[in-house]
Amino acid sequence: METQVSEDFGNEVFETLKYIIDPEVGINIVDLGLIYSVSLDGDVLEIELTLTTPGCPMSGTITTATEQILLKRFPNLDVKVNLVWSPPWSTEMITEEGMRQLEGK
Amino acid sequence: MSTATTSNSPGKWVVLPHYAFAALAFVALSILLLFSTDAFSGHYFHPKLLTLTHVAALGWATMLIFGALYQLLPVVLDCKLYSEKLATIAFGFLGIGTILLAWCFWNFELGHVMHIAACSLVISFILFNINVIQTARLAPKWTIESDFIVTSAIWLLVTGIVGLIMVLNFTMAFLPVEHTHYLKLHAHIGMAGWFLLLIIGVGSKLIPMFLLAHAESTKKLNWSYNLINAGLVFFIFDHLFFHTALLPVYAVLVVAGILSFMVFIYETSKTRQRHDMDLGMKQTFVALALLLLPIVLVFIVSSQVALPQQLLSAVYLVYGISVFLGFISAIILGQTFKTLPFIVWMHAYEDYVGRFKTPLPKDLYNHAIQRWQNYSYLFGYLLLVTGVLLNNQQIILAGAIGFTITSLLYTANVFQLLLHKVQELKPFSYGNASV
C-alpha cells in the first residue's frame, strides 16, 4: 500500500476502509490487500484499489462502498476511486492480520 | 495503472428464476424417484427412467447451470452478458420444454406434445448458444475457459438436436438402426460434451478463486479440453459409421482429460491461502471424488465385458445415476451455496455497503440445514446405487427417501435466500462518533 498523505491521515483512511468487508472472503479490503494507494491532491482524496479477480461481480459494490464510506468520513473532501488491475492482485498482498483471519486464528 | 470497468452482473430477474425452477425440479425428481423403484430392475429404456433422467438433466442441472452461468459468465470472461432478454426467453422455452417432455415420457406419449417439447428445448439451446458465443466475443481476451464454455454450449445444442431427431423418429421411424443406439450417442454428448466441459471450464476459474489460490499454468486445462473433445468426436464418428471395438480407447481419452483437470485443481489448491473450507467447497470436493465411479464404469459400459444380463443392466443404470445424481447433483448442491447467497446479497445490499453494517452472504441461509442436506444426499446416493446393484427395491426406496429429504432441505434454503428481505440496518459509527 502506498500513501502520498500524512501518516495520521493515511491511517485514518485505512481504518475507515476496514469497515468494508469482501463478502466472499469475509475479510476487510485493507487486510485483503486490495487498496493499492491513497493520495490527497488539494481536496481530492484519490484511492486506487483492485479486486481478487478481474470480472469479479463485486467491482461496482466495492468501488461504490469505498466512495460512500470515505465521503461520509471526510465530508469536506472530494473522493475519487479508481479500480485497477495492474499489478494483478495476488495472495502475497494479504496483510499479516488478513492471513491470521484467513487461518481462523 | 490501467483503470478497470465496473460490475458486469446481470439483473436478478434473469438469474434467480432459474434457481427457483431448478430447486422445485429437484423436489419433483425426488418424488418421482419414490414412485419409480420398480423401474430399476430392467433396461434403462424405461418410461420412468427416461422421465427421471430428463428431469435431472434438464429441469435440475441444465436449468441451474443456465442461471448460474448468466451470473458467472461475466466473472469468467470479464465482460457483460450479451443479452438479458435472450436469457429470459431461453428460460421460458427450457421450462416449458422440460415440463412437457417429462409429462410425455412418464405417460409414454410419443406424439405432437413431445414434438413441441423437443422443439422448445432446441430453441432454448439455440438462444443460449447465441448468448454465450456473443458474450465470449465481447470478452477482452479469449481464454481456455472461453473454449470450454463455448464448446460445451455447442455440444448442448448437438445433444438437443439428436434428441429432437429421436423424438421425431418415435412417430416417423426413419433412423436406420435401433433407438438405443442413438440414445447412447445423445447421453454421452450431453454428459461429456455439455456437463463435463462446462463444469471443468467454470470450475477451473471458480475453485481457485474460492480457495484464494492461483494457477501457475493452464497447460493441463488445454490437455483436458483437447483430450475430452477428441474422445467425444472419435466416439461419435465410430458410433455412427464404423462400429469398431475401440470405444474403450475413446473412454481413455475422456478419462485422461478429466484426470488432467484433477491434477490442475490439485496443483492449484496447493497454493491456496484459504484453509477453512466451508460446506459448499467441501461438497464440491465430494462431487469431484464421486467422479471416480463413472470413470471406472465407463470402461465397463464401453467394452464388451461378458457379464450376466441382469448385472450389466444394473451397471448401465448405476453409470447413469453416478453421473446425474452423483457427480452433477453433488457439485450443484455445493456450488449453489457458493453462488446464490452472493447473488442475493449483492442485489439486496450493494447500495448499503459502506454506509451501513450489512450481513455477509453466508449469513443469509441456514448452515445446519445445508450440513444435513449434504449428509442426506450422500446417504441417499449410496443407498440408491447399492439398491440398483443388488436389485433390491427396499434399498432403492430408502435411497429415494434420502434424496427427497435432501431436495426438501435444499429447497428450503434456496427459497430462504430467494425470499430474503433486507433487514433494518445500523449505520456505521467510527469510534465514539456516529457519522
Side-chain angles (χ1 to χ4, degrees):
Chain A
M1 313 172 208
E2 282 176 39
T3 53
Q4 293 168 25
V5 290
S6 70
E7 197 179 329
D8 283 352
F9 181 71
N11 285 341
E12 226 174 322
V13 171
F14 285 124
E15 285 307 312
T16 306
L17 292 178
K18 281 185 181 176
Y19 283 89
I20 303 175
I21 309 290
D22 181 303
E24 214 301 297
V25 187
I27 294 176
N28 71 71
I29 60 173
V30 175
D31 285 320
L32 200 50
L34 299 184
I35 306 298
Y36 279 177
S37 73
V38 175
S39 59
L40 188 63
D41 183 7
D43 58 358
V44 178
L45 172 59
E46 199 163 344
I47 306 290
E48 284 191 330
L49 64 81
T50 193
L51 299 170
T52 53
T53 182
C56 176
M58 285 307 299
S59 56
T61 311
I62 289 183
T63 310
T64 311
T66 303
E67 206 170 272
Q68 285 177 340
I69 207 165
L70 291 174
L71 279 172
K72 281 209 158 200
R73 189 72 185 94
F74 308 103
N76 299 325
L77 297 177
D78 285 333
V79 176
K80 193 176 166 196
V81 178
N82 296 322
L83 183 59
V84 296
W85 299 123
S86 176
W89 179 86
S90 74
T91 51
E92 284 90 49
M93 292 170 182
I94 303 174
T95 65
E96 272 182 36
E97 170 59 22
M99 288 304 293
R100 196 184 60 74
Q101 289 178 36
L102 269 178
E103 286 158 10
K105 288 177 187 166
Chain B
M1 292 184 183
S2 61
T3 306
T5 53
T6 52
S7 173
N8 293 320
S9 294
K12 67 176 177 180
W13 292 111
V14 178
V15 176
L16 299 185
H18 291 82
Y19 280 87
F21 190 106
L24 295 174
F26 188 34
V27 174
L29 170 68
S30 306
I31 292 169
L32 291 174
L33 194 56
L34 287 173
F35 293 99
S36 304
T37 52
D38 57 326
F40 288 92
S41 56
H43 195 273
Y44 55 79
F45 199 85
H46 183 291
K48 286 182 176 177
L49 296 181
L50 292 172
T51 311
L52 292 173
T53 309
H54 286 87
V55 173
L58 296 167
W60 166 230
T62 299
M63 182 60 83
L64 195 129
I65 287 173
F66 271 25
L69 207 59
Y70 294 136
Q71 183 73 33
L72 297 174
L73 217 50
V75 179
V76 177
L77 301 180
D78 192 14
C79 61
K80 275 193 183 298
L81 182 69
Y82 171 69
S83 168
E84 296 190 7
K85 196 179 278 183
L86 275 186
T88 307
I89 300 169
F91 167 78
F93 278 109
L94 179 59
I96 292 166
T98 302
I99 293 167
L100 291 181
L101 194 69
W103 184 86
C104 290
F105 275 129
W106 190 261
N107 297 296
F108 218 57
E109 291 274 350
L110 307 178
H112 292 313
V113 180
M114 192 177 255
H115 295 169
I116 293 168
C119 288
S120 286
L121 292 168
V122 170
I123 291 169
S124 174
F125 300 160
I126 290 170
L127 298 179
F128 177 73
N129 262 268
I130 294 170
N131 224 350
V132 168
I133 292 168
Q134 292 293 69
T135 305
R137 287 181 61 192
L138 294 173
K141 63 176 180 179
W142 192 274
T143 60
I144 183 65
E145 289 92 357
S146 317
D147 281 327
F148 272 105
I149 294 169
V150 170
T151 311
S152 73
I154 294 167
W155 282 126
L156 171 68
L157 182 57
V158 176
T159 309
I161 291 169
V162 174
L164 174 62
I165 291 170
M166 288 168 66
V167 162
L168 295 175
N169 190 60
F170 276 134
T171 47
M172 297 171 208
F174 55 87
L175 290 173
V177 288
E178 66 184 43
H179 222 75
T180 52
H181 187 75
Y182 301 100
L183 187 60
K184 282 178 192 166
L185 195 73
H186 175 65
H188 282 96
I189 299 172
M191 288 191 293
W194 164 232
F195 289 116
L196 187 61
L197 286 183
L198 192 277
I199 289 169
I200 291 178
V202 176
S204 61
K205 178 82 177 184
L206 291 193
I207 294 172
M209 195 173 100
F210 289 140
L211 294 175
L212 285 181
H214 61 272
E216 300 287 348
S217 138
T218 55
K219 265 187 191 169
K220 294 199 170 58
L221 290 178
N222 284 311
W223 274 106
S224 175
Y225 175 82
N226 292 327
L227 286 165
I228 293 172
N229 279 296
L232 196 53
V233 170
F234 285 137
F235 164 73
I236 292 167
F237 277 95
D238 195 323
H239 199 68
L240 279 177
F241 306 114
F242 304 113
H243 309 289
T244 71
L246 291 173
L247 296 192
V249 177
Y250 314 141
V252 166
L253 291 174
V254 173
V255 168
I258 294 170
L259 294 178
S260 190
F261 165 66
M262 296 287 202
V263 173
F264 168 83
I265 290 295
Y266 173 71
E267 288 180 351
T268 304
S269 68
K270 281 200 295 191
T271 70
R272 77 182 197 259
Q273 296 299 326
R274 217 173 173 183
H275 296 278
D276 61 326
M277 273 200 281
D278 56 25
L279 289 169
M281 285 311 288
K282 281 180 184 161
Q283 177 71 1
T284 301
F285 280 96
V286 166
L288 294 177
L290 291 181
L291 199 46
L292 188 64
L293 185 58
I295 282 176
V296 172
L297 292 180
V298 72
F299 291 107
I300 301 177
V301 301
S302 63
S303 56
Q304 311 288 332
V305 181
L307 290 174
Q309 190 51 46
Q310 181 76 33
L311 181 60
L312 198 60
S313 290
V315 168
Y316 270 108
L317 289 173
V318 170
Y319 175 60
I321 291 167
S322 68
V323 173
F324 291 109
L325 297 182
F327 171 59
I328 295 171
S329 292
I331 207 154
I332 290 175
L333 290 173
Q335 284 299 308
T336 294
F337 296 102
K338 296 300 296 176
T339 55
L340 183 59
F342 189 81
I343 297 166
V344 170
W345 180 91
M346 212 170 62
H347 288 295
Y349 293 106
E350 68 178 340
D351 291 339
Y352 299 101
V353 179
R355 293 190 293 135
F356 296 90
K357 194 170 174 15
T358 62
L360 290 175
K362 66 183 173 64
D363 302 328
L364 307 188
Y365 63 97
N366 188 313
H367 293 247
I369 289 181
Q370 189 194 10
R371 181 173 293 109
W372 283 107
Q373 163 215 286
N374 290 351
Y375 291 151
S376 63
Y377 164 75
L378 258 186
F379 170 79
Y381 173 67
L382 293 174
L383 282 175
L384 187 66
V385 167
T386 310
V388 172
L389 275 177
L390 299 176
N391 193 17
N392 182 314
Q393 281 199 40
Q394 265 70 42
I395 302 177
I396 293 173
L397 181 63
I401 291 169
F403 268 101
T404 307
I405 294 167
T406 306
S407 70
L408 293 173
L409 295 174
Y410 172 85
T411 304
N413 247 339
V414 164
F415 273 85
Q416 183 178 337
L417 280 161
L418 294 177
L419 301 174
H420 178 79
K421 292 271 184 292
V422 177
Q423 296 140 12
E424 203 172 306
L425 300 171
K426 287 181 184 164
F428 280 128
S429 58
Y430 305 102
N432 294 324
S434 181
V435 290

